[in-house]
Amino acid sequence: MSQKNSTLIDDAAKVFALPVVCRFPGEDGFFSQIGYFHTYGYCFAGSTLLGQNTFLALMPLLSNLVTAQPYTSQMADVAHFIWEYLSRVFDYYKVIACENSAVEVALFGWCHVTQKQHIFHYYPGKDDKGFCVIKYTNHTDLNEKSFVYLGDDRNNMTQKIQKALDGDSEPGRPLSRIPRYIIEEHIQNSEYKTIGGHLQLGIADQFGFRPFSICRPKVLGKPEAYLSYLGYELHQDINNVGRAIVNLPGMV
């Protein structure tokens, strides 16, 4: 997280699990029965204030849906609601922050209605009158080489990721995870001043969104390793939750 050229914090979370919960009335008449529960991935690039604040506002809204009968929300309806809310917040914030209000957001995951993976990409654009507004695109019919890149140096990063995906797997760099390696190389490269922080990884499927920790060696070239999340070592620096263990699978 940064403000102009000054780093405020180096571990700002930008990838989240967004829950969607829909309840219907139980025998007592209260909305006490859960008819639908699912989590989508939500991530952003650009204005940290706008990206995080919008997510924090959407969480209680989308986790408190109610209907008269059990109902499964289509992901496109959730995405449209997010677009309406994000557009309203952006219209207000752009007047205050001007060029610092730029933000991109992606909602991604499995839709139980269409039985498909979707990526909804929200981004600033111009409307018919030339005003800056939030637009969004639905990416579907995805395959193993599909990706949507958010953030700085878009053309360069997109070309590098696409070129790598069109190539072959290398030892230690499987093709299925190649975007991770391209992005990590740019994070570690000091020439890219606006691409930094720590990697956040996760998976979104029919079971919802689940974040990953990253398995890192304690000393390069030696077998001893640890699980890292946002740069912090789990299960040693940070204790468990009572008798429960934080279950973030490690990705090498």
Side-chain angles (χ1 to χ4, degrees):
M1 178 179 177
S2 63
Q3 186 177 45
K4 294 184 179 179
N5 296 321
S6 175
T7 298
L8 300 179
I9 189 170
D10 197 36
D11 61 351
K14 291 194 173 184
V15 183
F16 308 94
L18 180 64
V20 176
V21 184
C22 190
R23 295 178 174 84
F24 65 97
E27 294 181 358
D28 54 8
F30 294 102
F31 292 100
S32 57
Q33 301 298 306
I34 295 178
Y36 179 70
F37 172 82
H38 192 50
T39 53
Y40 298 114
Y42 176 103
C43 63
F44 71 92
S47 172
T48 302
L49 178 61
L50 185 55
Q52 287 188 347
N53 192 60
T54 301
F55 170 78
L56 292 173
L58 288 168
M59 271 195 65
L61 297 176
L62 289 171
S63 60
N64 284 283
L65 304 177
V66 295
T67 59
Q69 299 175 345
Y71 172 71
T72 298
S73 300
Q74 188 167 330
M75 188 176 179
D77 294 331
V78 175
H80 187 77
F81 178 84
I82 291 174
W83 171 71
E84 289 184 323
Y85 190 91
L86 181 60
S87 294
R88 181 66 184 87
V89 175
F90 178 73
D91 282 344
Y92 174 78
Y93 187 57
K94 70 184 181 184
V95 177
I96 301 173
C98 300
E99 67 274 6
N100 293 325
S101 64
V103 69
E104 287 183 88
V105 173
L107 177 76
F108 56 97
W110 178 263
C111 177
H112 286 282
V113 176
T114 64
Q115 292 291 293
K116 289 183 177 181
Q117 290 281 128
H118 294 263
I119 302 174
F120 291 88
H121 179 203
Y122 305 83
Y123 52 92
K126 297 291 183 68
D127 64 10
D128 295 338
K129 297 181 180 178
F131 294 111
C132 191
V133 297
I134 293 293
K135 298 184 175 183
Y136 77 102
T137 302
N138 177 11
H139 298 266
T140 188
D141 297 322
L142 305 172
N143 58 51
E144 64 274 8
K145 293 187 178 182
S146 299
F147 71 93
V148 175
Y149 176 80
L150 279 63
D152 289 337
D153 203 21
R154 178 188 306 279
N155 292 336
N156 180 38
M157 292 290 288
T158 299
Q159 289 175 7
K160 286 185 175 180
I161 294 173
Q162 189 62 64
K163 182 179 179 181
L165 286 171
D166 291 337
D168 299 318
S169 292
E170 301 175 7
R173 290 170 65 94
L175 206 59
S176 61
R177 299 179 186 173
I178 204 65
R180 170 251 173 108
Y181 295 108
I182 300 296
I183 293 171
E184 190 169 34
E185 288 170 356
H186 285 73
I187 289 175
Q188 296 172 349
N189 189 335
S190 60
E191 293 182 6
Y192 296 91
K193 304 296 184 183
T194 59
I195 301 178
H198 295 276
L199 275 180
Q200 282 184 269
L201 304 175
I203 185 172
D205 55 21
Q206 62 267 37
F207 303 112
F209 175 79
R210 300 181 303 286
F212 284 129
S213 58
I214 300 176
C215 187
R216 298 189 181 279
K218 289 198 171 184
V219 179
L220 286 176
K222 295 187 177 182
E224 189 177 7
Y226 67 97
L227 294 179
S228 169
Y229 182 72
L230 287 175
Y232 298 110
E233 183 173 349
L234 296 177
H235 310 317
Q236 181 168 323
D237 294 343
I238 302 172
N239 293 323
N240 298 327
V241 183
R243 289 183 294 174
I245 298 173
V246 174
N247 183 28
L248 294 186
M251 179 176 285
V252 178

